[in-house]
Amino acid sequence: MINREYKKSFEDEVDWTIIDQLHSATSRFSTASIELKKMFIILIGISIPAIIKLTGSKLDESLFVTIYVLTFTFWYLDGFTYFYQENLRAKMDERFEKLKRKNTVSETEDENAETDEYTLPDDRKKSDRWSRAFLNSSVRIYQIFFILNTIAFVLFIKGIIG
């Protein structure tokens, strides 16, 4: 590839502005994800003692159901933010690739040239995006709460705790 001197055109300015806007939106989704985790911990911390107090200091099914509802609700919301962060990053990558193609002269026109890795790894498939959104390491907190709640609920049902 032979690079020529880069002269920013109006279309390039528009692309860079869109990339900046997409980056800003991605950052807001990332911040929302962190805030969701904080709210989840706070609600769990408030609801467990409140339910135990309301049930006469005894464990009750409502405690486990509440934890399941909170866990699944926040897991879904957090997965949603991750999904859209990745969608926005993919859009940014498309713009980067467009700028690169437009501003690079190659000795041979190769339409099948590989794309560079900008904000997402090259091996990411769009079809896997939903599963990554709900099973990534960022949502591990919800997976842990689900597992611990399930163990505690089974112990409660068997009469081991209560």
Side-chain angles (χ1 to χ4, degrees):
M1 296 256 205
I2 301 170
N3 289 331
R4 60 181 174 199
E5 185 179 330
Y6 179 59
K7 295 180 183 174
K8 208 180 255 191
S9 66
F10 173 75
E11 291 83 12
D12 290 350
E13 288 288 339
V14 170
D15 284 333
W16 283 111
T17 300
I18 291 171
I19 288 169
D20 286 342
Q21 290 171 344
L22 291 169
H23 175 71
S24 178
T26 303
S27 294
R28 285 192 295 274
F29 273 113
S30 179
T31 300
S33 177
I34 293 166
E35 293 302 317
L36 283 168
K37 288 174 182 68
K38 290 178 188 176
M39 285 191 308
F40 174 70
I41 295 299
I42 290 168
L43 285 173
I44 289 288
I46 292 170
S47 63
I48 290 174
I51 292 171
I52 291 172
K53 185 71 174 169
L54 290 171
T55 58
S57 297
K58 295 174 76 177
L59 291 182
D60 185 71
E61 291 89 3
S62 61
L63 173 67
F64 302 104
V65 171
T66 301
I67 294 172
Y68 278 128
V69 168
L70 287 172
T71 300
F72 284 123
T73 300
F74 280 89
W75 192 346
Y76 173 78
L77 293 172
D78 206 354
F80 179 82
T81 65
Y82 186 91
F83 176 79
Y84 278 99
Q85 283 178 66
E86 192 166 302
N87 276 341
L88 292 169
R89 286 186 179 107
K91 295 287 184 197
M92 287 181 355
D93 285 355
E94 290 170 13
R95 292 287 172 166
F96 283 130
E97 196 57 38
K98 179 182 170 189
L99 284 165
K100 177 185 167 190
R101 280 192 312 272
K102 183 177 173 215
N103 293 296
T104 303
V105 176
S106 68
E107 292 175 5
T108 59
E109 291 297 323
D110 186 8
E111 295 294 322
N112 298 323
E114 282 193 37
T115 60
D116 287 332
E117 199 173 283
Y118 299 105
T119 63
L120 291 174
D122 287 337
D123 62 349
R124 294 264 174 114
K125 296 178 189 153
K126 187 175 182 178
S127 60
D128 299 339
R129 202 165 279 160
W130 278 109
S131 61
R132 275 194 310 278
F134 295 99
L135 300 174
N136 69 75
S137 61
S138 172
V139 295
R140 185 90 12 98
I141 187 171
Y142 309 113
Q143 296 164 345
I144 291 168
F145 267 90
F146 174 79
I147 291 167
L148 292 175
N149 192 48
T150 301
I151 292 168
F153 194 39
V154 168
L155 294 174
F156 173 76
I157 290 172
K158 293 195 178 270
I160 297 171
I161 60 172

